[in-house]
Amino acid sequence: MFNSFGNIFRLTSFGESHGKGIGGVIDGFPPGITIDEEFVQQELNRRRPGQSILTTARKEPDQVEFLSGIFEGKSTGCPIGFIVWNKNQHSNDYNNLKEVYRPSHADYTYTVKYGIRDHRGGGRSSARETISRVVAGALAKLALRQLGISITAYTSQVGAIKLEGSYSDYDLDLIETNDVRCPDPVKAKEMADLIYKVKGEGDTIGGTLTCVIKGCPIGLGQPVFGKLQAALANGMLSINAAKAFEYGIGFKGIKMKGSEQNDVFYNNKGRIETHTNNSGGIQGGISNGEDIYFRVVFKPIATILMEQETVNIDGVDTTLKARGRHDACVLPRAVPIVEAMAAITILDYYLLDKTTQL
């Protein structure tokens, strides 16, 4: 049951990093939506490895194959099944990890919980599983597009290098013009240089992604345990390497008084709006019609090409040095994943809202 995400619009994913493929089944997708398979593939291309010198050198076409739920280019309302076949596994790169536990990985916890683990690339715990999320998210985006809802994420910090402004201070059309996916070209180059330097050292580095949802209608979210920000946090923190989530003014609000942080209402030609948006578009767990924005912190990737101390499966002290092709920073490839999980969540809560209205 925990391989599924969503209530009405629901994704169930399957597959392992070095298995035959990664796929999923989507249930609850509305019928009659035009399925732009080229757009879905473009979203996968944004996630796939080998995009630039900043990412892993693994070369995967990540070509999606739809198996059901689509007829004559439109969704039928039936389950949509799909698969992406793995093509470029180098499983032998992981043979030296078979009997050791990699620091900060899922190796130890999987072994204790299940009594068995797939050491080849982490198996089910691999970020390659996010392929299924990107496919489902792309379909959700196609449905949300008809509702006038758009979702955009970008890299806002790598290590100590960060954007000081809010999303409204930047031209978000510039996100895809650089390998880091940052809307500030100057900061993007600094970030890229840092990632390249860290990669050359055999190390990794983390940072933050910012995401903004525009056009979200008022009323999405359910009290008390179905608050919209909790659902978004659930989706974001289910992504590999995600360590923290904040929405709206977030932790910056600690330094503010209530009189400074409150979003004051006013009447804008018959529409109730707020002068500020410190709430991040969500109040009382329900969307208020303003832009929804949030940030997700990603840790440095655990697999580093440096010697580390650890223990083997017998608990004996040893050392390891990973081999193979790995990302030095997850952020550029995580951008479409964050967008996908946001799209899945928003569409699910839109459909959920429709079922609760009399």
Side-chain angles (χ1 to χ4, degrees):
M1 62 181 295
F2 293 106
N3 291 297
S4 300
F5 182 85
N7 300 282
I8 305 298
F9 177 71
R10 191 169 179 84
L11 165 69
T12 299
S13 73
F14 64 85
E16 295 83 30
S17 175
H18 285 237
K20 291 187 176 181
I22 301 288
V25 177
I26 300 167
D27 211 350
F29 191 74
I33 303 295
T34 299
I35 304 301
D36 184 347
E37 293 193 26
E38 183 177 341
F39 171 75
V40 176
Q41 188 59 51
Q42 287 173 353
E43 292 295 277
L44 275 175
N45 292 347
R46 296 171 68 211
R47 193 224 70 95
R48 73 182 177 190
Q51 297 178 43
S52 72
I53 60 173
L54 300 181
T55 66
T56 171
R58 179 172 176 169
K59 296 292 185 180
E60 288 279 4
D62 285 353
Q63 187 73 39
V64 63
E65 180 180 344
F66 287 103
L67 307 174
S68 63
I70 301 172
F71 179 68
E72 294 183 342
K74 293 183 181 294
S75 58
T76 64
C78 297
I80 297 176
F82 64 88
I83 192 165
V84 172
W85 300 105
N86 291 330
K87 300 288 187 181
N88 191 228
Q89 310 101 309
H90 286 185
S91 299
N92 290 336
D93 287 343
Y94 297 88
N95 286 344
N96 66 317
L97 306 177
K98 188 174 183 179
E99 296 187 348
V100 297
Y101 296 131
R102 292 172 295 174
S104 290
H105 263 283
D107 298 347
Y108 176 68
T109 52
Y110 266 56
T111 301
V112 173
K113 182 175 179 65
Y114 299 109
I116 187 173
R117 71 177 171 96
D118 185 347
H119 66 279
R120 306 166 304 166
R124 185 68 174 152
S125 69
S126 168
R128 190 155 174 76
E129 178 273 336
T130 59
I131 284 174
S132 61
R133 306 169 187 232
V134 173
V135 173
L139 295 179
K141 281 185 176 182
L142 291 174
L144 293 175
R145 185 183 294 172
Q146 297 192 14
L147 301 172
I149 301 173
S150 65
I151 299 173
T152 306
Y154 61 88
T155 300
S156 51
Q157 181 169 353
V158 175
I161 303 170
K162 64 179 180 180
L163 303 185
E164 298 296 341
S166 72
Y167 67 90
S168 59
D169 296 323
Y170 301 99
D171 181 358
L172 301 187
D173 289 336
L174 297 177
I175 293 171
E176 294 295 327
T177 63
N178 57 77
D179 294 335
V180 184
R181 295 198 163 98
C182 172
D184 183 324
V186 175
K187 290 288 186 179
K189 185 179 185 310
E190 293 179 15
M191 293 174 179
D193 290 343
L194 177 58
I195 295 172
Y196 190 71
K197 176 178 180 294
V198 168
K199 183 179 181 180
E201 297 168 347
D203 215 336
T204 60
I205 196 163
T208 304
L209 295 187
T210 296
C211 184
V212 56
I213 304 169
K214 291 180 172 289
C216 188
I218 301 171
L220 302 193
Q222 307 291 329
V224 171
F225 298 114
K227 293 179 179 179
L228 185 58
Q229 76 270 25
L232 286 168
N234 182 22
M236 298 308 142
L237 294 178
S238 73
I239 301 172
N240 308 60
K243 299 297 288 185
F245 171 90
E246 66 170 354
Y247 73 103
I249 200 68
F251 289 106
K252 290 182 179 179
I254 295 172
K255 300 179 181 179
M256 302 170 68
K257 298 176 182 178
S259 57
E260 298 170 316
Q261 187 171 165
N262 284 349
D263 295 318
V264 176
F265 292 106
Y266 74 102
N267 189 323
N268 183 14
K269 299 179 181 179
R271 175 184 168 90
I272 302 299
E273 296 182 355
T274 57
H275 285 293
T276 56
N277 188 19
N278 294 324
S279 300
I282 303 172
Q283 294 173 324
I286 298 172
S287 59
N288 65 2
E290 303 292 333
D291 292 346
I292 295 172
Y293 64 95
F294 58 85
R295 289 162 294 280
V296 188
V297 174
F298 287 86
K299 71 174 183 178
I301 295 170
T303 299
I304 62 176
L305 302 181
M306 304 171 71
E307 188 171 274
Q308 297 182 86
E309 295 181 356
T310 186
V311 298
N312 64 20
I313 58 177
D314 297 316
V316 178
D317 291 338
T318 186
T319 60
L320 72 86
K321 184 175 182 181
R323 300 194 298 264
R325 305 156 298 173
H326 306 282
D327 287 290
C329 180
V330 71
L331 296 168
R333 295 178 59 206
V335 167
I337 302 169
V338 165
E339 291 180 358
M341 293 307 296
I344 292 170
T345 301
I346 294 299
L347 179 58
D348 183 41
Y349 267 61
Y350 177 84
L351 296 173
L352 189 63
D353 188 58
K354 297 307 175 186
T355 66
T356 58
Q357 293 182 3
L358 296 178

